[in-house]
Amino acid sequence: MSSPTPPPSISLLSPRATQMAGCILICEEKHRAKAKMELNLRQEMQERQVASVASRESEQLKRFEELMELKQRQEYQSMRDMMDRETQESIGRQEKLKEEQRHRMKILNLRLREAEQQRLREAELERQRQLEGRDRRRALNAIQEEILQLNQLLEPTISAQAGPVSDGTSYVTRGNQLCSQVSEVVRTTAEGEFPSVDDMTVAERALHQMRSLIRLMQEENAKAQEKKKELEEEEERRRQAELQAKQEEQQKKEALSVKEKARKKGLQTRAETSTLKWYKELQDSAIQCTQSFEVLNNAKDIQTKKLRMELQKAATIPVSQISSISGSQLREIFDKIAKLLSDRSVVSGGKSVSISQHPKGLDFVSYKLAEKFVKQGEEEVASHHEAAFPIAVVAAGVWELHPKVGDLILAHLHKKCPYAVPHYPPMKDGTSVEDYQRILGYRVDDSGVEGQDSFLKRMSGMIRLYAAIIQLRWPYGSTQKPDPHGINHGWRWLAQMLNMEPLADVTATLLFDFLEVCGHALMKQYQGQFWKLILLIKEEYFPRIEAVTSAGQMGSVMRLKQFLESSLRSRQINPPKGQLTSSFWRS
């Protein structure tokens, strides 16, 4: 750039010089303009060059930046690949570690399981050892108790012995020695230790020796008392012979009475006066019993109603559970009923209940119990004849302990089945047909009177129950007490039945059912007199049954006829099906 032009100065030169000076100035001005223009051109050129260089540099910078970005991407991708590889390797290592961990855990679990199984085995062995030890201890205590009891038997045995005193003393001495042996074994195991097998062997050997000792003493006593026993047996045989002679004479009279009446023009149409009196007394007793607990039966308050239901359940549920599964179960049921009637608490439906909770509890329970027994005969025995025996033996046992229950059983039985008296109720004036059918034992409801087959089935069930009761006694009861309603009542029923005119269908059915259940027991008890009665039925009473039986009712008649013919032909009546044997009571 040129410096600024200085302001014009005043020239004092000549015109030529001034002209020259002006030309010079013009020339210089041109040169300056030209130089300025060239300078501008150079500047523009330089600027274009600079712009071109800048453009190239910018492009190079872009390429460089692109190159750098490419390198960065490559490095980043390389790093990503490396990280992916490391990740995959890490995942692989982790999977391997996990697999190793799972393997170790599996091995550890197996070891733990084996350890737990070992612990359980050891615990089971210890428990078994404890159980066996306790069993041995109980057995040892039982052995000691039995030995002590047997040792106590030695004294009364010695006092009854006929031998010398020195022999008795030796038995006592030996018994005391055996007791001491067992006591020593018990003493060694009394401080928490269980008796060993050797200890039990010593105790059992001592018990065996004590039993042998007692047996020897009893044999000596048996020999000493044999003569006395023979005398007593002879006296008993003499008394039995006298009693048997009296019974045979009485039975002969009854059989002759039956035969005499059968030969008459017609038999009775109603029961004997004494029988009707007995029947009425039982019904009056049942009515009085019902009236006595009327307050309990008609109670309105909730607590008394609940008590009534609990007492009824406690009385009836055990009877419903009677079966011939096992003797032990039957004994449990009997014990529960006896406990309830003896004013002891029993558990029923998860609640404790006793008859003392209400003043009339005993009357109510006795009535419901008797009603349930008869209902079981009406329903259960009617469908399953063998069920008569377990039900009857429990009823007989309860009857023996509580005679009032027995009277109520008879009252309910006679009301539902008057043929069990036997009694054929006459139709009184003013009695409707439906009411009379109810009196005869038929079920009458809104739909009408039940069918004859259903009626006979129910009557059959109740007669079978009655026939089982009169021949059974509770095996665990007292043998000293007389049977409250024994086999002699079966003979009475049969004799009175034959004194009455037969009823179509009913008499044949009930005679067959009664004889099938009770015939074996009557045969064993009355022997010759029984066979005379069976012959009487076959020859004289059976034709009367046939005479009143229509053609459509011959099924029961034929069954009775076949039974009579088979029995008379073989002179034997087989024990009834379902009879409880001695093995049943051991089950």
Side-chain angles (χ1 to χ4, degrees):
M1 294 290 298
S2 61
S3 60
T5 305
S9 61
I10 300 173
S11 177
L12 297 177
L13 296 179
S14 65
R16 183 147 180 99
T18 302
Q19 185 179 7
M20 282 299 290
C23 290
I24 291 169
L25 289 170
I26 292 170
C27 186
E28 287 177 355
E29 188 68 30
K30 288 182 180 179
H31 279 293
R32 277 197 299 276
K34 184 178 179 181
K36 186 176 181 179
M37 184 173 59
E38 289 177 356
L39 180 61
N40 288 335
L41 289 172
R42 280 199 299 275
Q43 284 179 347
E44 290 177 359
M45 186 178 296
Q46 286 177 355
E47 287 176 357
R48 284 196 295 274
Q49 289 176 351
V50 169
S52 176
V53 170
S55 176
R56 285 197 301 275
E57 290 298 327
S58 177
E59 289 296 327
Q60 288 179 357
L61 182 59
K62 287 181 180 179
R63 301 289 85 74
F64 179 74
E65 289 176 351
E66 291 174 355
L67 181 61
M68 293 303 292
E69 288 179 1
L70 178 61
K71 287 183 178 180
Q72 287 179 354
R73 285 197 302 274
Q74 289 175 344
E75 290 177 358
Y76 177 74
Q77 185 65 36
S78 177
M79 290 178 67
R80 283 289 298 272
D81 294 341
M82 183 176 66
M83 290 174 65
D84 289 342
R85 284 195 302 274
E86 290 178 353
T87 302
Q88 292 297 326
E89 291 175 358
S90 176
I91 291 172
R93 286 194 298 272
Q94 288 179 358
E95 290 296 327
K96 188 175 180 181
L97 289 173
K98 286 180 181 178
E99 184 64 28
E100 291 176 354
Q101 180 69 11
R102 281 195 294 271
H103 183 65
R104 284 195 295 271
M105 288 299 295
K106 187 176 180 181
I107 293 173
L108 182 60
N109 287 335
L110 286 173
R111 290 176 179 171
L112 287 173
R113 195 178 298 114
E114 289 175 357
E116 179 66 17
Q117 290 175 351
Q118 180 66 21
R119 186 187 67 78
L120 291 174
R121 282 195 297 270
E122 291 176 356
E124 179 64 21
L125 289 174
E126 178 63 20
R127 189 182 68 83
Q128 189 67 27
R129 189 185 71 81
Q130 293 281 341
L131 286 174
E132 291 176 355
R134 281 193 288 271
D135 289 342
R136 284 198 295 269
R137 179 178 288 170
R138 281 193 293 269
L140 181 60
N141 292 335
I143 289 173
Q144 185 185 27
E145 181 181 2
E146 186 176 351
I147 280 187
L148 292 174
Q149 290 175 350
L150 292 175
N151 192 47
Q152 290 175 357
L153 295 176
L154 290 175
E155 290 299 332
T157 304
I158 292 167
S159 63
Q161 185 179 350
V165 177
S166 59
D167 293 339
T169 305
S170 65
Y171 280 117
V172 172
T173 303
R174 181 55 183 160
N176 290 334
Q177 289 175 353
L178 294 173
C179 290
S180 300
Q181 288 180 11
V182 176
S183 298
E184 184 64 28
V185 173
V186 172
R187 196 177 300 112
T188 57
T189 60
E191 299 179 356
E193 294 293 330
F194 292 120
S196 64
V197 177
D198 294 336
D199 293 335
M200 294 304 299
T201 303
V202 171
E204 288 171 356
R205 188 184 303 117
L207 177 61
H208 179 70
Q209 292 175 359
M210 178 62 83
R211 286 172 177 167
S212 300
L213 195 66
I214 293 293
R215 188 165 55 252
L216 289 173
M217 294 293 292
Q218 289 173 344
E219 288 175 358
E220 290 185 8
N221 286 339
K223 291 177 182 178
Q225 296 177 359
E226 186 176 353
K227 191 173 291 185
K228 182 179 178 181
K229 186 177 179 182
E230 288 177 355
L231 292 173
E232 290 176 352
E233 287 179 352
E234 185 177 351
E235 181 65 22
E236 181 65 23
R237 281 195 298 271
R238 186 181 63 78
R239 286 199 301 269
Q240 290 291 336
E242 291 177 356
L243 181 62
Q244 183 71 23
K246 289 179 181 179
Q247 287 181 351
E248 286 181 358
E249 185 179 354
Q250 180 66 25
Q251 292 158 13
K252 188 174 181 180
K253 289 179 181 179
E254 290 180 359
L256 288 173
S257 174
V258 172
K259 193 168 183 180
E260 295 268 339
K261 291 178 181 180
R263 286 171 180 169
K264 293 180 183 180
K265 184 176 180 180
L267 298 176
Q268 299 175 9
T269 57
R270 54 178 295 171
E272 296 177 357
T273 305
S274 60
T275 302
L276 288 176
K277 182 181 177 182
W278 173 60
Y279 164 74
K280 190 174 185 306
E281 287 174 354
L282 290 173
Q283 296 304 315
D284 291 343
S285 175
I287 292 170
Q288 290 174 4
C289 182
T290 307
Q291 292 172 348
S292 70
F293 61 80
E294 190 172 358
V295 177
L296 175 60
N297 217 27
N298 299 328
K300 301 297 182 183
D301 61 293
I302 298 175
Q303 290 298 328
T304 308
K305 284 183 178 180
K306 285 184 179 179
L307 175 61
R308 184 183 68 213
M309 290 302 298
E310 288 169 3
L311 286 172
Q312 184 168 342
K313 287 179 181 178
T316 58
I317 289 176
V319 180
S320 302
Q321 294 172 343
I322 294 174
S323 67
S324 56
I325 295 175
S326 68
S328 58
Q329 184 206 37
L330 210 58
R331 191 171 183 180
E332 287 178 8
I333 292 171
F334 175 82
D335 291 342
K336 192 171 184 179
I337 296 172
K339 192 176 179 183
L340 177 65
L341 291 171
S342 301
D343 196 13
R344 288 183 289 170
S345 297
V346 297
V347 178
S348 177
K351 296 180 180 179
S352 179
V353 63
S354 71
I355 58 175
S356 60
Q357 292 176 262
H358 194 277
K360 298 300 178 182
L362 178 59
D363 290 340
F364 179 77
V365 167
S366 299
Y367 187 89
K368 291 298 179 183
L369 188 62
E371 184 181 49
K372 185 62 177 178
F373 273 121
V374 176
K375 189 174 182 181
Q376 285 295 96
E378 184 182 15
E379 297 176 356
E380 182 66 20
V381 179
S383 300
H384 307 93
H385 293 169
E386 293 83 358
F389 292 94
I391 297 171
V393 76
V394 175
V398 174
W399 195 329
E400 185 175 328
L401 291 178
H402 303 275
K404 183 178 179 180
V405 178
D407 291 342
L408 289 170
I409 289 174
L410 284 176
H412 281 290
L413 182 65
H414 293 169
K415 186 175 181 180
K416 289 193 171 186
C417 178
Y419 316 102
V421 178
H423 173 46
Y424 304 157
M427 187 172 182
K428 297 179 181 180
D429 294 337
T431 305
S432 65
V433 175
E434 291 183 350
D435 289 340
Y436 182 60
Q437 286 172 328
R438 289 191 182 95
I439 293 171
L440 292 176
Y442 286 88
R443 282 179 175 170
V444 182
D445 52 25
D446 296 337
S447 60
V449 184
E450 71 175 325
Q452 186 71 1
D453 290 343
S454 174
F455 166 74
L456 290 173
K457 183 178 180 182
R458 290 191 303 105
M459 298 301 110
S460 171
M462 287 185 278
I463 284 294
R464 282 179 176 272
L465 177 62
Y466 180 64
I469 288 175
I470 60 179
Q471 64 177 298
L472 292 175
R473 295 195 69 176
W474 182 246
Y476 302 104
S478 174
T479 57
Q480 303 299 324
K481 294 182 180 179
D483 192 343
H485 201 77
I487 193 68
N488 57 309
H489 287 270
W491 182 268
R492 179 200 62 81
W493 183 89
L494 193 56
Q496 292 195 10
M497 196 75 172
L498 299 180
N499 281 334
M500 300 178 72
E501 286 288 353
L503 297 178
D505 219 6
V506 175
T507 301
T509 299
L510 299 187
L511 275 177
F512 171 75
D513 290 326
F514 186 85
L515 289 172
E516 189 177 52
V517 175
C518 198
H520 180 75
L522 289 169
M523 177 192 70
K524 290 177 65 178
Q525 179 69 22
Y526 296 106
Q527 301 177 1
Q529 294 299 320
F530 173 75
W531 290 114
K532 290 178 182 178
L533 200 63
I534 294 295
L535 186 61
L536 174 67
I537 297 172
K538 173 68 172 60
E539 292 181 350
E540 299 187 25
Y541 195 72
F542 187 76
R544 290 179 177 269
I545 296 175
E546 287 182 314
V548 298
T549 305
S550 62
Q553 300 171 330
M554 293 301 292
S556 57
V557 175
M558 294 308 297
R559 283 195 297 273
L560 177 62
K561 183 178 181 181
Q562 290 172 3
F563 177 85
L564 294 172
E565 290 176 348
S566 173
S567 301
L568 287 168
R569 185 168 52 251
S570 62
R571 297 285 290 183
Q572 181 67 32
I573 295 179
N574 294 326
K577 293 181 180 178
Q579 194 173 40
L580 306 179
T581 61
S582 57
S583 61
F584 169 80
W585 294 108
R586 293 194 296 270
S587 62

